[in-house]
Amino acid sequence: MADIKQTIQDFYRVAQDRDFLRSFQFRVLDVSNQGVPVLSQEDLIYVTTSTLPSRSIQMFDVPFMGLNFHVPGTASYPGSEGYALNFRSDSEASLRKIFEDWSNSIFNDETSSGDFKIHADSTITLALLDQDHNTTQLYTLYGVFPVDVGTLDFDITQGAQAVNFSTTLAYQYWRRRGLS
């Protein structure tokens, strides 16, 4: 008898126990600048798509007697220079204005001045949800600031479709906290 547990029945049993994570089981809970909320829960209902961030371990080779031994090193955060949040725009484009103002506070081209510091208390908190919309994991991105405020694209040939825009933020690192 086979000792590999990868039959159709095993898959079905495990799928019933664990289920699957669905694309709607994700929320952005907050965005803050220097500890001050930038967006409220009412604003964040307009987020349509995003991603959970990535983390990598740098690796280097140590050669010895013709073999390269792979040795782990420090962590890096691929994509931390360009984390995208996609939004439906509200009718007044006030969400986009929030990011415009935040971007302007970092560098104001009228005065050639700004706030160039890294603010570890500027954060985004993301949540993974179970099927009952209970939070199972929280991800907090630290040192967040906007690097691009995306366009609002209008096309009168498309009828009355909602207008979307994306904002690209940079961050330094992230931490996960499990709740279950």
Side-chain angles (χ1 to χ4, degrees):
M1 183 160 148
D3 61 350
I4 307 252
K5 296 288 189 185
Q6 293 183 5
T7 66
I8 292 170
Q9 291 82 11
D10 294 318
F11 175 82
Y12 187 66
R13 177 185 50 75
V14 172
Q16 283 180 317
D17 289 345
R18 296 186 189 169
D19 205 349
F20 297 95
L21 185 64
R22 313 289 201 294
S23 61
F24 63 84
Q25 291 174 273
F26 171 85
R27 295 292 184 277
V28 178
L29 296 184
D30 67 58
V31 178
S32 70
N33 180 13
Q34 301 179 53
V36 177
V38 173
L39 299 176
S40 73
Q41 282 290 326
E42 288 185 8
D43 298 324
L44 291 168
I45 204 159
Y46 283 94
V47 173
T48 60
T49 61
S50 192
T51 59
L52 278 183
S54 165
R55 183 176 192 267
S56 296
I57 296 294
Q58 303 297 316
M59 189 265 318
F60 59 94
D61 289 337
V62 175
F64 181 76
M65 295 183 66
L67 295 173
N68 280 329
F69 289 89
H70 307 299
V71 178
T74 60
S76 67
Y77 298 88
S80 62
E81 72 284 352
Y83 182 76
L85 287 174
N86 300 301
F87 293 87
R88 289 183 185 96
S89 181
D90 57 289
S91 64
E92 304 289 323
S94 60
L95 292 175
R96 187 171 187 275
K97 183 182 176 304
I98 289 168
F99 289 106
E100 289 171 356
D101 291 347
W102 190 3
S103 175
N104 234 4
S105 75
I106 293 170
F107 181 76
N108 185 327
D109 52 13
E110 285 183 46
T111 62
S112 295
S113 64
D115 184 2
F116 306 118
K117 296 181 217 118
I118 294 174
H119 296 283
D121 52 351
S122 295
T123 61
I124 298 174
T125 305
L126 313 168
L128 284 184
L129 309 174
D130 64 16
Q131 283 75 5
D132 297 321
H133 298 282
N134 298 309
T135 301
T136 61
Q137 305 288 326
L138 289 175
Y139 292 81
T140 303
L141 286 59
Y142 294 92
V144 174
F145 61 94
V147 293
D148 182 62
V149 180
T151 62
L152 286 172
D153 296 323
F154 299 94
D155 184 348
I156 61 171
T157 67
Q158 295 297 311
Q161 288 186 356
V163 174
N164 296 330
F165 73 98
S166 100
T167 296
T168 305
L169 304 159
Y171 64 93
Q172 308 305 320
Y173 63 94
W174 58 264
R175 296 285 181 262
R176 177 184 51 85
R177 184 170 46 118
L179 301 177
S180 59

